[in-house]
Amino acid sequence: MSALISLAAGLSGAARLAVGRPDGVSLVRGGRQTAIHSFLAIPIAMPSVVCRLLMSWAADGMPTQPGEHMARELILFVVGWLLFVEASHAIASAIGRQHAWLRFVALWNWCNVIEGVLVVAGGLPALAGAPPMLVEAAEVITIGWALWLEWYATRLTLNVSTAMAIGFVVIDQLIGILLAMVAISLTG
């Protein structure tokens, strides 16, 4: 399967999952090549990171060295992504789901693209000057939707319990929090 076909299948599968369609899983093969191609999701998801940073700067002011700040955030984004890939592989092996991990990581990668778009969309009302209640509702809904998507994809692809899928999401979020703390310490 070519990288372009993997990309189309992966994004289609993730989009179907994002609207609650479990058949999105069947669009993504579970092979090694599909998993490798799915890492194209990293550069495709980077614009959402840039958008979130620009939105943050619009609200809070630009940092003194925006280029360095942007580079650090993008590096930490990739590091966090790859740390979770490694952690999920170890956990999947430990719980006897290594056979499903290639499909899981492929779909998880593509779902990250959708999740990035959701989070950016959730921040748009703030940029438009919407009332605080609408701003907060949009953020809660889109972040909740992104977390739900990760949980849903995990539950379906690894065929794990609700609690186990929540555990995967929590580990992913903890990695993000720890890296955000690193970013803050590097800034200060």
Side-chain angles (χ1 to χ4, degrees):
M1 178 181 293
S2 76
L4 188 58
I5 292 171
S6 288
L7 182 148
L11 285 175
S12 295
R16 291 178 80 76
L17 289 174
V19 295
R21 303 276 309 263
D23 62 338
V25 171
S26 66
L27 295 179
V28 177
R29 293 183 182 171
R32 182 174 176 82
Q33 199 63 39
T34 299
I36 291 168
H37 288 157
S38 74
F39 284 93
L40 289 170
I42 294 173
I44 293 170
M46 279 188 177
S48 68
V49 176
V50 172
C51 284
R52 289 192 307 261
L53 273 176
L54 294 174
M55 292 164 81
S56 171
W57 295 350
D60 303 328
M62 189 170 292
T64 55
Q65 297 176 322
E68 286 181 24
H69 185 83
M70 179 78 69
R72 182 174 45 252
E73 291 294 326
L74 290 172
I75 289 167
L76 289 174
F77 170 73
V78 173
V79 168
W81 191 303
L82 297 177
L83 280 173
F84 180 74
V85 167
E86 186 61 31
S88 71
H89 184 262
I91 296 166
S93 295
I95 63 171
R97 297 293 194 271
Q98 63 273 14
H99 62 280
W101 184 79
L102 290 172
R103 177 176 277 162
F104 162 77
V105 80
L107 266 166
W108 181 84
N109 283 336
W110 294 118
C111 283
N112 269 292
V113 174
I114 305 294
E115 292 166 24
V117 171
L118 287 170
V119 174
V120 168
L124 292 177
L127 282 179
M133 186 183 297
L134 180 60
V135 168
E136 291 172 16
E139 289 173 351
V140 166
I141 289 167
T142 55
I143 290 170
W145 191 356
L147 291 171
W148 172 84
L149 174 56
E150 182 174 0
W151 169 84
Y152 190 54
T154 301
R155 184 146 162 56
L156 291 175
T157 56
L158 291 177
N159 193 27
V160 294
S161 69
T162 296
M164 184 63 69
I166 289 170
F168 274 83
V169 174
V170 167
I171 289 167
D172 184 23
Q173 297 309 305
L174 286 174
I175 289 169
I177 291 167
L178 290 172
L179 289 174
M181 292 169 57
V182 167
I184 290 167
S185 71
L186 292 174
T187 305

